[in-house]
Each structure stands twice: as C-alpha cells, then as structure tokens.
Amino acid sequence: MSRVQQVTVLGATGSIGLSTLDVIARHPDRYQVFALSGFSRLKELFALCVRHTPRFAVVPQAAIARDLQDELRAAGLRTEVLVGEEGLCQVAADPEVDAVMAAIVGAAGLRPTLAAVHAGKKILLANKEALVMSGALFMQAVRKSGSLLLPVDSEHNAIFQCMPGDFARGLGQVGVRRILLTASGGPFLHTPLSELEHVSPEQACAHPNWSMGRKISVDSASMMNKGLELIEACWLFDAKPAQVEVVIHPQSVIHSLVDYIDGSVLAQLGNPDMRTPIANALSWPQRIDSGVAPLDLFAIARLDFQAPDEQRFPCLRLARQAAEAGASAPATLNAANEVAVAAFLEGRIRYPEIASIIEEVLNREPVVAVDELDAVFSADARARELTGQWLKRHGR
Ligand code: NDP
Ligand code: MG
C-alpha cells in the first residue's frame, strides 16, 4: 500500500456507514475519511466529524449546514459543510478521493453514486437501489469510466469472492452454471399467514440475524430485499434472472454460493456482520482485519436450507417479474416499494398491502426503455405518483 487512501462515506450516519467507519478506524495507516454525509441524524454526524475529522460533511439543507458549520468551528474543527445532492456529488467525485462508500438508502443514492462512477472512483456499493433502478446505464458508466465496482451487499460480496477473477468474460465462458443467493427468510419465515395482517413495523424490523436500517429490515421481512438483490446480481455478474436461484438459509452463515458446471459449488461463510464484506471491498485484492469474530462452526452446529414460498413472499415473485421484464420495470418496482415501505413504517398500511400496492403499480405502469437517466427518474416519479394514488384511494 503506497499511500493513505481518501474515503468518502455517503450515508455515514446509517448502519453501513457506521460499520464502514469502524473498519476504517482500525486502519489509520491505510484509510482516511475525506467526507461524511448525514440526513436526519445530525447529532451523530457532528460526533462522527469530531471522531474522524473529515475535510467535508454534507447535510440536506442550507440552514442545517450553517448550524453544523458553527458547531464544528466552535469545536475547533476545519471540516467544511456542504449542502444537498450537489454537495454529495461533489464529495463523491472530488479528485482527491480514492474510494466512495455508497451507503445512502434508496433512490436518493443514485445521483451521488453515479457521480462517483463517472469520476472513475473505486465504488463500494451498498446502495443496491441505485443499481436496481438504472442497471444498464450504471454498468455502462462503470465500463466507460474504468471505475472499480466492488459489491458490499453481503451476498454479492460472497459471490464476488467465489467467482473466478475473469468472470466479466461471461458466466458461460468461465464455467458458472448458476448463482445461489441465500436469504435468511427474515422474522416472518414461520409466522402463520393469517397473522401477517397484524404484524407491526417493530416486528418487521426485528431481524433474526442482522442489525440494519429500517427500510432494508422491512425489505428483508418481505423478501423484497432478496428480489432487489436478484436484480443487483444480474447486473453485477451479467447473469440472467433464471441463472439466479434464491435459497432460504435461516442461519445466515453462508452468504451465497456459485455453482460451476463441473459440480463444484463454492461458498463464502462468515458471521453475519457487515464489517466483513465492507473490509473485503475496502482492501480488495488484499485482506485486512475487520474486527469480526472468527466463525465458530461448533457453536453453529448445523446449516439448513429450504425453497422460498411465493405465497408467503409475493414480493420475491414481483421482483423476478420486474427483472425479467427489464427496462423501466425494476425502477417502477423499487419506487413503489420505497413508498409502500415508508407508509408501512408510518403505520398507514398493513404489511400484506406492501405487496398488493407494488403488484398494482407494476401492472398499471407500462414498461418503457430507459436509455438515459431522465427516463429512470420519470419511471421512478410515475411509480411514486401511482403509489400515492393508491394510498389516497384507500384513505391512508
Ligand atoms: P440506514 O437507514 O441505517 O442508513 C441510511 C443512510 O442514508 C443514513 O446515513 C441516512 O441519513 C442517509 N439518508 C437517508 N435518506 C437520505 C436522503 N434522502 N438523502 C441523503 N441521505 C439519506 O440504512 P442502511 O445503512 O441499513 O442501508 C444503506 C444502504 O445499504 C441501503 O441501500 C441498503 O439496502 C444497503 N445495505 C444495507 C445492509 C445493512 O446491513 N444495513 C446490508 C446490505 C445492503 P440519516 O441516518 O442521518 O437520516
Ligand atoms: Mg444482502
């Protein structure tokens, strides 16, 4: 390692952001924080600035920026506070930056992540929604700029580790038969179907193995997360939806597998702690300590597998449908899901209605080509509008 790498952490106040900063802090000889962003957790952002002394911090509004700037100055820090999407894009693309952790949740992460891609940065991709929305354009931009795209999502990081180095030649060319994407099944794997009507946001967010932000926790409960990951895997590894099989594995120890034509199946295992894939992506192709405890196979004792039940997890079926339709369908799916999940978290809709809303929006919205970013954002906006109409029609 020649010099200290400058890292921008987009979404620093979130679950992935904090895990990233934990890994970075273990290696001050390798990594320095260049910029941090927050959205609503501003006290936490201030504390992170004190701890990591970034050159820049980014917040959503000018008034918030002024307050934070005053506080930082009073604390003797020279961190400069920037504002909004423009600020996020600036710190993602700054010539001094080596790597960008894309860990903003949802569609809000798309433009800043793409700014990092266009600037040819090393992208540590957690923000799967960005890739789901704009897959073809995103991958085209990666190829054009020569940016290095490293998956942080634990399953995709596992697949990346189990793939041969030249997988970009095509799965068929490198002897890969299929990708086996593991899923924990979430908190409702065994809940009687009749009780799903009554589950609360707190129950949906109580994931058995992982501690995550609220949106992805609900996505994990509904398995929309696995559906988004199926689409993510297709783009990252140039796979067809039919080449990606979802396997429920409740212990979350095997993070995914690659099945080769000679019958070999390679898997990556580890404790369910995001610091492992984060450290892997940060230091690739080297390895660094992540702070994660060694895996204790004797304590785990057994590994179980089962096929997903589409009646229990209709969101998985809807995501596969969108993956197969391609073009604007994944952006439509993603936007309807974001609005529906937010409504569920606010107590405005029941849990099974998340899937009903998405299905209706997908059925009503035509699939159109997305040759440019504007088309992606139009599909996103139309799906949000249709989801809003559903909520209004049902008095929510
Ligand atoms: P969190 O909700 O914990 O964090 C989200 C981050 O994004 C926070 O820093 C938040 O700021 C910021 N943010 C929220 N809305 C906006 C917005 N409109 N504009 C700018 N910033 C915003 O989520 P996670 O860390 O769990 O997830 C982040 C991403 O990583 C998601 O795309 C998720 O799918 C993906 N991921 C997460 C995993 C996990 O284990 N958590 C695993 C694999 C992927 P603030 O908190 O200050 O409001
Ligand atoms: Mg995942």
Side-chain angles (χ1 to χ4, degrees):
M1 182 64 44
S2 47
R3 65 176 179 85
V4 177
Q5 291 192 35
Q6 299 291 329
V7 185
T8 282
V9 184
L10 302 175
T13 47
S15 163
I16 293 287
L18 294 175
S19 293
T20 304
L21 292 170
D22 180 282
V23 175
I24 286 178
R26 288 166 195 275
H27 303 279
D29 52 326
R30 286 174 175 259
Y31 309 110
Q32 221 164 51
V33 176
F34 181 80
L36 297 174
S37 86
F39 191 70
S40 65
R41 287 177 269 199
L42 301 160
K43 279 204 174 69
E44 285 82 348
L45 183 61
F46 172 76
L48 292 175
C49 289
V50 172
R51 168 89 183 77
H52 298 278
T53 60
R55 286 269 302 280
F56 295 101
V58 189
V59 296
Q61 285 150 21
I64 297 172
R66 279 193 293 277
D67 290 350
L68 181 62
Q69 189 70 76
D70 290 347
E71 277 180 65
L72 290 169
R73 281 215 188 97
L77 267 85
R78 289 159 70 177
T79 301
E80 188 182 331
V81 185
L82 305 177
V83 183
E85 197 166 70
E86 203 181 314
L88 293 170
C89 292
Q90 183 183 324
V91 297
D94 192 291
E96 282 187 38
V97 170
D98 299 290
V100 175
M101 166 55 78
I104 290 175
V105 60
L110 178 55
R111 279 194 215 273
T113 306
L114 274 180
V117 171
H118 289 306
K121 303 301 181 194
K122 176 160 87 178
I123 313 290
L124 316 174
L125 185 72
N127 178 213
K128 65 192 85 182
E129 296 91 343
L131 191 56
V132 166
M133 290 173 74
S134 71
L137 293 168
F138 193 107
M139 295 310 290
Q140 206 177 307
V142 167
R143 283 190 292 272
K144 193 169 167 208
S145 70
S147 131
L148 176 62
L149 181 59
L150 295 161
V152 167
D153 211 345
S154 58
E155 296 76 3
H156 305 74
N157 185 266
I159 297 162
F160 179 73
Q161 293 194 49
C162 297
M163 281 283 180
D166 59 346
F167 72 83
R169 291 201 292 133
L171 297 191
Q173 297 299 312
V174 297
V176 170
R177 181 159 40 203
R178 39 174 205 161
I179 290 169
L180 299 169
L181 192 63
T182 53
S184 69
F188 304 141
L189 183 58
H190 303 294
T191 308
L193 292 180
S194 59
E195 285 177 23
L196 291 178
E197 276 282 303
H198 308 293
V199 297
S200 67
E202 278 55 47
Q203 286 171 297
C205 289
H207 196 279
N209 307 329
W210 298 94
S211 153
M212 308 180 285
R214 283 169 75 76
K215 189 261 179 183
I216 185 177
S217 295
V218 176
D219 286 350
S220 297
S222 70
M223 280 189 76
M224 178 55 90
N225 183 49
K226 214 47 55 181
L228 298 176
E229 290 184 355
L230 184 155
I231 300 170
E232 183 185 12
C234 288
W235 288 117
L236 287 172
F237 304 109
D238 198 13
K240 297 201 164 51
Q243 288 175 295
V244 184
E245 186 169 337
V246 174
V247 179
I248 293 187
H249 162 48
Q251 290 91 354
S252 299
V253 168
I254 297 182
H255 299 306
S256 278
L257 314 89
V258 176
D259 179 9
Y260 287 85
I261 49 173
D262 63 0
S264 301
V265 178
L266 301 193
Q268 185 260 2
L269 288 73
N271 285 317
D273 186 322
M274 288 307 293
R275 289 176 301 173
T276 295
I278 289 168
N280 180 267
L282 250 181
S283 64
W284 186 87
Q286 300 179 355
R287 298 264 178 186
I288 55 169
D289 173 33
S290 64
V292 175
L295 186 65
D296 182 348
L297 284 174
F298 300 120
I300 293 158
R302 56 182 279 180
L303 299 174
D304 296 302
F305 306 98
Q306 69 186 74
D309 168 359
E310 287 200 346
Q311 207 191 336
R312 178 176 295 278
F313 298 114
C315 285
L316 190 55
R317 169 177 55 82
L318 296 172
R320 199 174 271 283
Q321 185 186 316
E324 267 150 17
S328 62
T332 304
L333 172 93
N334 179 66
N337 181 57
E338 278 190 28
V339 181
V341 168
F344 171 68
L345 285 171
E346 288 161 11
R348 292 160 63 198
I349 62 168
R350 291 169 193 263
Y351 169 81
E353 289 176 327
I354 297 174
S356 321
I357 294 176
I358 299 167
E359 181 147 36
E360 183 177 312
V361 172
L362 272 182
N363 288 340
R364 285 182 56 188
E365 185 58 25
V367 178
V368 297
V370 281
D371 299 334
E372 47 190 65
L373 207 53
D374 282 351
V376 173
F377 282 110
S378 310
D380 176 273
R382 282 194 309 273
R384 282 171 201 273
E385 169 71 28
L386 280 178
T387 312
Q389 285 173 14
W390 188 103
L391 294 172
K392 217 168 171 186
R393 209 167 60 240
H394 292 78
R396 312 303 168 83

